[in-house]
Amino acid sequence: MELHDVWFVLIAVLWTGYFFLEGFDFGVGVLTKLLARNRPEKRVLINTIGPVWDGNEVWLLSAGGATFAAFPEWYATLFSGFYLPLLLILVCLIVRGVAFEYRVKRPEESWQRNWETAIFWTSLLPAFLWGVAFGNIVRGVKIDQDFNYAGGVLDLLNPYALLGGLVTLALFTFHGTVFVGLKTVGEIRERARTLALRVGLVTALLALAFLLWTQADRGDGASLVAVVVAVASLLVALVAARAGREGWAFALSGLTIVATVAMLFLTLFPNVMPSTLNPEWSLTVTNASSSAYTLKIMTWCAGIATPIVLLYQGWTYWVFRKRIGTQHIAETVH
């Protein structure tokens, strides 16, 4: 296996880690409007991801940086062609971070309510837009002979990509719902379990349609295995959620995300961005990659830094592993 193939796999792993981790905290952000009934319950939901949301975003920075260094042509075409949706995602992530930090800086109800609304929308929009973006990457976009994006913003809003956006939004919301069930106690935990069943059924229907569409369009035997794993793990996650086994439900919803992302990258390889104008103009792991020397240096750096990052993030989750409820929220901080 060539180094550019290795880095294609590593970038797929980074995106998988990002969607697994950031997926549930996007879902929790959406649940601040769907699940919480009062101010203390909203605070409980926010506190479940408070210690980890910023660490989860490191995976996005790593995926973007690795793409820039390993596949500069891919990075250039992707960010120039998807400029507006990626800018909107970036603005959402900035506002979302500010909202987490500033919500409790003042006691006025209107102040806190406005920041809570910001958390909801800046969680929902990226959850949807990431699915649209990856739907277009897998489907292919208008790339000309100079590897430049030749389409417009409206070209990105095609039925396949929009369905992909609905799938990621629903899947992340379901992932967040079972995470809330895993991290809370009392009435909010019970309501999270009930909501998980409803959201999970919708997610299963959307995911099945999207994955079968992808498989029929460009799938092979390996991607079919990923489809089966994704659908089966999602259905078993629903069973586990109904039985109150939140740990298993969360692990299986995470496996659904892993299998779905794997399926997309399997159908994409050896392309990194297919061209719908001419297959010969597609960006591939070969024509979009950096030099072998650059990839070699990157491999050494990643081999040293990655275990340290994983250990630190694992330690963070271990420290903040206990469940919380409204009884843990101070009356003066809602």
Side-chain angles (χ1 to χ4, degrees):
M1 180 181 287
E2 300 289 338
L3 276 179
H4 51 67
D5 297 329
V6 171
W7 273 97
F8 179 86
V9 174
L10 291 177
I11 288 172
V13 170
L14 290 172
W15 280 111
T16 301
Y18 174 66
F19 288 142
F20 182 100
L21 297 172
E22 188 89 300
F24 72 75
D25 71 52
F26 280 150
V28 172
V30 173
L31 292 175
T32 57
K33 292 288 187 183
L34 302 182
L35 184 62
R37 292 180 176 175
N38 51 46
R39 312 310 297 279
E41 288 190 352
K42 289 184 178 181
R43 184 63 182 177
V44 167
L45 293 180
I46 293 172
N47 281 4
T48 61
I49 59 174
V52 299
W53 69 266
D54 48 355
N56 294 342
E57 291 186 355
V58 171
W59 289 79
L60 173 60
L61 299 176
S62 300
T67 304
F68 172 77
F71 299 100
E73 288 283 358
W74 183 12
Y75 184 93
T77 304
L78 176 65
F79 277 77
S80 61
F82 293 24
Y83 179 79
L84 287 178
L86 292 178
L87 177 62
L88 181 56
I89 290 174
L90 178 60
V91 170
C92 284
L93 294 180
I94 293 172
V95 174
R96 188 168 181 263
V98 173
F100 281 129
E101 298 296 334
Y102 274 72
R103 177 186 175 275
V104 293
K105 296 299 183 181
R106 290 171 54 179
E108 292 89 347
E109 182 176 348
S110 60
W111 172 271
Q112 296 188 5
R113 184 173 60 250
N114 288 338
W115 285 119
E116 289 163 2
T117 300
I119 290 172
F120 170 77
W121 285 109
T122 55
S123 298
L124 185 149
L125 288 175
F128 174 75
L129 289 173
W130 279 127
V132 174
F134 270 83
N136 278 292
I137 291 173
V138 172
R139 171 182 174 269
V141 292
K142 295 178 179 179
I143 299 176
D144 63 21
Q145 59 205 28
D146 296 319
F147 300 138
N148 295 319
Y149 179 67
V153 175
L154 294 181
D155 292 319
L156 303 178
L157 303 179
N158 55 80
Y160 176 79
L162 292 175
L163 177 59
L166 292 176
V167 169
T168 52
L169 175 58
L171 184 54
F172 291 169
T173 303
F174 174 67
H175 196 40
T177 306
V178 295
F179 178 77
V180 170
L182 178 64
K183 288 289 292 180
T184 59
V185 294
E187 184 181 350
I188 194 170
R189 177 189 177 190
E190 297 301 321
R191 292 206 312 274
R193 183 190 304 176
T194 301
L195 183 60
L197 298 177
R198 298 173 182 173
V199 175
L201 289 174
V202 174
T203 303
L205 293 175
L206 291 172
L208 183 61
F210 179 73
L211 292 174
L212 290 179
W213 189 345
T214 306
Q215 178 66 26
D217 188 41
R218 57 180 68 246
D220 56 15
S223 63
L224 180 60
V225 172
V227 170
V228 173
V229 172
V231 174
S233 57
L234 180 56
L235 294 177
V236 179
L238 283 170
V239 175
R242 183 175 183 179
R245 303 297 296 273
E246 291 94 349
W248 280 104
F250 180 72
L252 289 164
S253 67
L255 180 58
T256 302
I257 293 175
V258 171
T260 299
V261 177
M263 191 267 186
L264 295 179
F265 275 91
L266 284 169
T267 58
L268 188 59
F269 186 82
N271 294 321
V272 293
M273 283 190 76
S275 173
T276 57
L277 299 178
N278 187 331
E280 294 182 358
W281 299 342
S282 298
L283 288 169
T284 68
V285 294
T286 303
N287 63 26
S289 70
S290 294
S291 66
Y293 182 74
T294 299
L295 296 178
K296 184 177 180 180
I297 296 298
M298 289 177 60
T299 303
W300 278 103
C301 293
I304 296 171
T306 302
I308 298 173
V309 173
L310 292 176
L311 286 172
Y312 173 76
Q313 192 162 26
W315 175 80
T316 302
Y317 277 92
W318 175 256
V319 169
F320 295 99
R321 66 189 182 279
K322 292 185 178 180
R323 295 176 182 266
I324 61 173
T326 53
Q327 66 271 28
H328 301 114
I329 303 300
E331 293 183 3
T332 56
V333 184
H334 290 166

